[in-house]
Amino acid sequence: MNLPDKSEQVAKDKLREMQCKFNPLSRCDGSVMYCQGATVVISAVLGPVEVKTQNLSIDGSYLECNYRPKAGLPQVKERIREAAVRDVLELALLSEAYPRSKMSLQIQELEDRGSIDACALNSACLAMLIGGLPLKCSFAAVHCIINEQGEYILDPDQRETEHERASFTFAFDSLEGNLLLVQTKGSFKIAEFNDVESLCRSASAEILQFYRTSISNYHCRRSDTKTSEEQMET
Amino acid sequence: MFMNTGFFEPGKTKTERKFIQQAVKQSQRLDGRKSGESRDVQLTFGGEYGSVVVSLGDTKVMAQVTCDMGTPTTSRPNEGKLQLYVTLAGVSYLDSVQKTHDKRSLTLNSLLERTFRTSRCVDLESLCVASELHVWCIRVDVNVLNHDGNLYDASTVAVLAALMHFRRPDVTFTDGELRTYTEKERDMIPLLFLHYPVSVTYCIYTSNFQPFVDPTLLEENTADSTIILSFNSYQELCTLNAGGTVPTDVRTIMQCARSAANRCKAMVTFIRKALDQDEQQCLEGSKRNTGMLGLMEKSSQKLSFKTLMKGDQKQQQHKTEDMDLEVEAKPNPKLEADEEENADNVENVESDQPAQEEELPMDDSGWLPQEPEPTIDPTKQSPGKPKRKRNKGNKKKQ
């Protein structure tokens, strides 16, 4: 594997730079190419669409969630990620709005340079927002590790992930900051867990703000181009 | 949002077919291209070796090459393995419209196999570490991100670019012990190629027998015949896939083949240039961090066919009854009226006026390089023309 040298030093308690591009794909209802640092993920949503009879539910829509790795067939760790995304989405999605239908979410990994779980979740949220699927709340996911020296590193790079003692992924909702998902790996004390949780909670506010600015930029830019086109025609 | 909007592909309805047939009759295309004009190709290489995203207009395809040590097949004990997998499932939502084993997925897989495996483009013997014991198994995964027509070309470019970009670890086998070196210990080794194949797709409609290159999804779904030609950089034919309901003159196919050969050669040159630029950026140290971020608009300049081939001196011409000229060098609009060839051009040899096109002979001499005049010799067969695969062998003489 070709790991890059770290040229920019991001502070240990800061998230890496986030960027996103909306609707790069033309054939689905909503899509987003999202990156945190050098990790790039592309998500697409399609819905509400027709559902198979075995999944048909009169109470709400059926959620289909798929995560595809860059190379190879999906294995167990991809299924674990899918399960994590599905858990969060089932809490956030307003499935009662479209019964007897299916909402489909596909996530494709383009490059994994650390905290891919959090990236996948964030891109899923953005894709649903831009695709116009009904949500009860939006959510933000943060990944944090405790390295061998006992320091907390927020949103680690792949290089930093090599020396981890414990790893945490949290997902918070946007309304009250409730915890939607916790995934941990490794050994840690409960006090450390609480510290990391509060660290991630404050970071999630930053991510939610990023959602707001990028979506408003996307829509404002479109209305700007419309007005400029009108001016050109007249 | 309607229930089945995602499943609708443009071009399946009668109205759309009628519209496209009429537009084709007037040689018009929806996006304003000429019949011989292709969309721009953009390459973005990832941070890992062997990772590339190809954008052909709106069609986006990602290819990733991985390698693993394995045992060879018993029939070929000193050759490595090359496996190609195309997945239509995923972000492109192409599998929801189709049942499993549908035509599109099978054709794509089969085409890539023929173009890369059967034509023996990668030197598999160089992948052998110890005969009958250890060989490298190279696996190429093609993920279709978006389908807006012409998946074949995008996939072949993606596979070729990914294979050329890929580096495998160095390995030694001494005294029965296999030792793989990491990137830090020894440099990674690129793959060895025997030739570099790329494909070009043409669509033919009943209303106009002129072929249209690089169709969009709407054009592809309404087409009556599709011809896929795959040439390598030496202008040798690697794959030919022709099928449909339009009875097509063999001359048309030969003309398609001629322009496809030029286009493929230019495409391979473009991939090489793009790889060199990527290599340079990597050595400067700025690229490896960005990797796939190049897909974001704000990032550095994209490696696109038009920008990299702009200064190319080779000007390809191809004239048929109505087919427009295929311009390789961008800043040369007078090429449209120019019917003389560039002195550098040795591949294509047309000097007839378009009105006299019917008299163009059907023999193979137009293929051979450095032939000044196409000789009208129906009995002549060119001896040195290698053919990898040919589905249509008969040539009609005039």
Side-chain angles (χ1 to χ4, degrees):
Chain A
M1 182 114 80
N2 183 33
L3 293 176
D5 291 326
K6 213 169 173 217
S7 63
E8 312 166 1
Q9 286 290 338
V10 182
K12 291 201 169 72
D13 58 347
K14 287 267 180 301
L15 294 167
R16 292 177 293 178
E17 194 205 339
M18 291 177 280
Q19 291 176 51
C20 74
K21 187 170 157 197
F22 288 113
N23 290 330
L25 310 177
S26 58
R27 306 260 328 123
C28 51
D29 287 335
S31 55
V32 68
M33 198 182 311
Y34 173 77
C35 75
Q36 253 180 272
T39 305
V40 187
V41 162
I42 193 165
S43 296
V45 290
L46 192 70
V49 282
E50 194 155 337
V51 66
K52 281 192 262 204
T53 334
Q54 66 194 75
N55 297 323
L56 196 139
S57 160
I58 55 169
D59 296 322
S61 49
Y62 167 71
L63 175 66
E64 182 192 44
C65 183
N66 272 323
Y67 174 89
R68 303 192 64 84
K70 193 158 58 160
L73 294 166
Q75 311 253 328
V76 177
K77 66 176 168 107
E78 277 79 38
R79 296 276 174 253
I80 296 177
R81 287 205 182 106
E82 277 175 23
V85 176
R86 181 194 300 277
D87 285 342
V88 178
L89 241 51
E90 273 173 6
L91 293 168
L93 188 70
L94 186 69
S95 56
E96 288 84 2
Y98 293 98
R100 299 182 306 278
S101 67
K102 173 173 87 170
M103 309 286 192
S104 175
L105 170 77
Q106 305 275 345
I107 307 174
Q108 168 78 50
E109 165 203 341
L110 289 182
E111 190 146 330
D112 180 7
R113 291 270 181 263
S115 37
I116 187 86
D117 293 286
C119 279
L121 274 163
N122 292 337
S123 69
C125 180
L126 274 170
M128 301 197 106
L129 285 171
I130 205 70
L133 300 199
L135 293 173
K136 290 179 205 152
C137 62
S138 57
F139 52 89
V142 189
H143 182 232
C144 182
I145 61 168
I146 305 181
N147 72 357
E148 282 149 8
Q149 284 86 35
E151 296 168 324
Y152 304 143
I153 304 182
L154 197 62
D155 199 12
D157 212 348
Q158 198 154 43
R159 204 158 267 266
E160 288 161 339
T161 318
E162 283 173 354
H163 308 290
E164 64 175 9
R165 185 164 49 89
S167 129
F168 306 84
T169 307
F170 292 98
F172 300 96
D173 79 354
S174 57
L175 292 175
E176 288 161 24
N178 288 332
L179 199 55
L180 296 175
L181 174 83
V182 180
Q183 269 193 333
T184 63
K185 191 173 80 167
S187 66
F188 49 91
K189 301 194 179 73
I190 290 293
E192 288 172 332
F193 177 86
N194 291 330
D195 286 341
V196 168
E197 199 221 334
S198 46
L199 186 65
C200 291
R201 190 183 292 269
S202 44
S204 70
E206 200 184 315
I207 298 180
L208 291 168
Q209 186 55 37
F210 171 74
Y211 291 172
R212 286 182 205 113
T213 42
S214 23
I215 292 187
S216 53
N217 282 344
Y218 176 67
H219 288 298
C220 287
R221 205 188 311 133
R222 282 178 63 186
S223 58
D224 277 344
T225 51
K226 267 188 213 158
T227 48
S228 63
E229 274 170 24
E230 284 165 14
Q231 283 168 7
M232 280 163 63
E233 280 170 17
T234 50
Chain B
M1 254 163 284
F2 293 96
M3 290 295 267
N4 287 331
T5 13
F7 302 156
F8 289 158
E9 279 193 13
K12 302 270 190 184
T13 61
K14 264 189 186 168
T15 331
E16 282 168 322
R17 269 184 216 273
K18 216 164 139 182
F19 173 72
I20 293 287
Q21 298 279 358
Q22 281 179 351
V24 155
K25 209 168 185 175
Q26 303 162 20
S27 291
Q28 302 264 9
R29 291 175 92 159
L30 268 184
D31 45 9
R33 286 183 285 152
K34 304 189 189 65
S35 66
E37 199 181 320
S38 294
R39 288 176 284 185
D40 194 16
V41 184
Q42 283 174 352
L43 287 179
T44 313
F45 292 100
E48 280 181 35
Y49 284 125
S51 161
V52 69
V53 173
V54 173
S55 288
L56 189 70
D58 259 341
T59 303
K60 289 184 178 49
V61 170
M62 180 178 85
Q64 172 72 49
V65 184
T66 44
C67 67
D68 202 9
M69 266 313 203
T71 43
T73 52
T74 40
S75 53
R76 290 182 193 271
N78 55 349
E79 273 187 10
K81 291 185 193 167
L82 175 68
Q83 290 161 327
L84 297 145
Y85 295 98
V86 182
T87 34
L88 294 184
V91 221
S92 59
Y93 283 110
L94 287 172
D95 60 334
S96 46
V97 257
Q98 306 170 93
K99 313 200 175 23
T100 43
H101 309 304
D102 194 72
K103 198 175 117 184
R104 187 182 276 154
S105 167
L106 285 179
T107 325
L108 193 53
N109 262 300
S110 139
L111 180 88
L112 286 180
E113 290 262 321
R114 281 153 63 193
T115 311
F116 291 98
R117 269 240 304 240
T118 323
S119 72
R120 308 184 73 76
C121 100
V122 176
D123 185 11
L124 293 175
E125 288 183 6
S126 65
L127 296 176
C128 178
V129 175
S131 183
E132 289 176 21
L133 291 172
H134 300 288
V135 292
W136 282 111
C137 296
I138 306 284
R139 185 198 162 101
V140 186
D141 283 282
V142 179
N143 293 308
V144 175
L145 299 176
N146 198 34
H147 179 29
D148 190 29
N150 208 1
L151 269 186
Y152 305 110
D153 289 5
S155 315
T156 45
V157 171
V159 171
L160 185 66
L163 283 170
M164 286 167 80
H165 188 245
F166 182 63
R167 303 265 183 278
R168 64 169 174 85
D170 196 0
V171 68
T172 49
F173 183 70
T174 46
D175 302 328
E177 191 198 311
L178 191 70
R179 169 122 197 233
T180 315
Y181 295 95
T182 60
E183 201 182 344
K184 293 188 183 129
E185 293 167 349
R186 282 200 196 174
D187 278 341
M188 312 267 265
I189 306 169
L191 296 175
L192 278 175
F193 285 85
L194 297 173
H195 63 96
Y196 305 88
V198 188
S199 76
V200 180
T201 309
Y202 291 90
C203 273
I204 305 186
Y205 303 84
T206 41
S207 54
N208 181 355
F209 290 100
Q210 169 188 341
F212 284 74
V213 80
D214 191 11
T216 59
L217 189 57
L218 176 59
E219 293 169 350
E220 198 173 297
N221 283 337
T222 48
D224 298 299
S225 282
T226 315
I227 303 178
I228 304 161
L229 289 146
S230 183
F231 283 88
N232 61 20
S233 49
Y234 310 121
Q235 302 205 319
E236 294 164 347
L237 183 72
C238 302
T239 320
L240 168 64
N241 196 4
T245 55
V246 178
T248 311
D249 199 356
V250 188
R251 235 184 340 143
T252 318
I253 301 182
M254 292 295 282
Q255 282 157 0
C256 285
R258 267 183 264 260
S259 57
N262 294 330
R263 166 95 183 153
C264 292
K265 186 157 185 201
M267 187 60 71
V268 177
T269 320
F270 159 66
I271 296 178
R272 285 211 183 101
K273 279 191 186 177
L275 279 167
D276 289 337
Q277 280 210 1
D278 180 66
E279 186 82 31
Q280 272 178 6
Q281 284 175 331
C282 165
L283 288 172
E284 284 166 23
S286 60
K287 178 60 165 61
R288 282 282 177 247
N289 273 337
T290 54
M292 284 299 186
L293 283 183
L295 290 168
M296 303 279 178
E297 273 168 330
K298 299 173 215 152
S299 291
S300 54
Q301 179 200 28
K302 288 186 192 275
L303 303 160
S304 91
F305 187 80
K306 287 211 173 90
T307 52
L308 286 186
M309 301 300 277
K310 211 176 193 175
D312 204 325
Q313 281 306 306
K314 272 215 176 95
Q315 291 158 11
Q316 313 296 331
Q317 295 181 26
H318 183 77
K319 282 162 277 183
T320 65
E321 293 98 29
D322 301 288
M323 200 192 263
D324 297 291
L325 299 170
E326 194 173 330
V327 180
E328 291 287 327
K330 209 173 155 190
N332 203 344
K334 70 179 169 81
L335 192 63
E336 299 267 337
D338 192 4
E339 290 174 6
E340 287 180 7
E341 288 176 306
N342 205 9
D344 295 336
N345 191 351
V346 291
E347 288 93 17
N348 234 346
V349 282
E350 310 263 11
S351 49
D352 299 321
Q353 302 294 320
Q356 299 168 10
E357 200 56 353
E358 283 83 341
E359 294 162 21
L360 190 67
M362 256 307 301
D363 69 336
D364 317 325
S365 57
W367 277 107
L368 300 174
Q370 290 161 15
E371 182 123 355
E373 284 291 326
T375 53
I376 303 176
D377 190 358
T379 56
K380 180 180 167 190
Q381 281 285 327
S382 68
K385 191 172 49 151
K387 284 275 184 292
R388 307 281 160 144
K389 215 166 197 225
R390 217 108 171 119
N391 288 349
K392 295 205 177 156
N394 47 320
K395 299 177 183 37
K396 286 195 206 118
K397 306 294 179 204
Q398 289 205 270

